[in-house]
Amino acid sequence: MPEGLIKVALVEPVASDAARIKELVATGSIPAEITDALACERPDLAEAEIIMVGLQSLDATERELVARLHAGFPRTPLVVLAGSDASWAGEAMRLGAHHVLIKSDLTPKKMASTIRYFVHYTLHRKRAATDTQALDRLPEPQFAHMGS
């Protein structure tokens, strides 16, 4: 994968939807490399900066998939790509999804915007964690005016 590309893992069981999503990402304004996790023999989701998963109805199997992806990769943004009915979007969010998009509404601009948002979200979270750790290592302040 060329350096500088955002790594997106796609878990989409409908081949035509997977092809369309890859095309939307490729024609968007964000330099991203999308990996079809279902087409890989051994997908490495740990390398992904964003995981996108296509769902139809959030049945028991899809609920388990969302919960397992969130549990296995809690720091990786999880974007659900829903079929035409996303009345179950709230449930997907409770299970760990960060965002739900309707597949039929997707455009290159919307995909780029979503990827951009989650890249900034991830960077901000990493920076905040680093800053907090740096603050924890600082010694207690010594004030000149508080002498013995």
Side-chain angles (χ1 to χ4, degrees):
M1 175 183 306
E3 192 173 319
L5 292 180
I6 298 158
K7 299 171 189 167
V8 179
L10 176 63
V11 180
E12 173 56 71
V14 180
S16 60
D17 285 349
R20 181 172 172 264
I21 292 162
K22 286 184 205 176
E23 182 180 330
L24 289 170
V25 171
T27 57
S29 61
I30 294 291
E33 177 74 25
I34 193 159
T35 301
D36 188 342
L38 296 180
C40 297
E41 187 173 316
R42 290 183 176 191
D44 188 3
L45 296 179
E47 292 293 315
E49 295 172 275
I50 300 170
I51 299 172
M52 293 187 170
V53 59
L55 304 177
Q56 295 303 314
S57 62
L58 203 64
D59 60 20
T61 302
E62 291 179 339
R63 271 190 197 80
E64 182 180 349
L65 175 61
V66 171
R68 289 181 75 184
L69 285 170
H70 177 65
F73 308 97
R75 296 189 171 277
T76 305
L78 179 59
V79 177
V80 168
L81 306 171
S84 59
D85 173 31
S87 58
W88 43 263
E91 177 66 17
M93 302 281 281
R94 281 188 290 282
L95 292 168
H98 291 87
H99 197 53
V100 176
L101 297 170
I102 306 293
K103 291 180 195 178
S104 60
D105 293 342
L106 295 177
T107 63
K109 184 177 180 179
K110 191 175 280 191
M111 292 298 287
S113 176
T114 300
I115 293 169
R116 184 180 297 112
Y117 172 80
F118 283 109
V119 166
H120 288 293
Y121 168 83
T122 302
L123 289 173
H124 178 71
R125 195 176 63 218
K126 285 180 182 177
R127 250 188 236 126
T130 302
D131 291 347
T132 301
Q133 292 169 357
L135 288 173
D136 289 344
R137 290 191 304 266
L138 290 175
E140 287 297 315
Q142 302 295 319
F143 299 104
H145 67 278
M146 297 181 73
S148 45

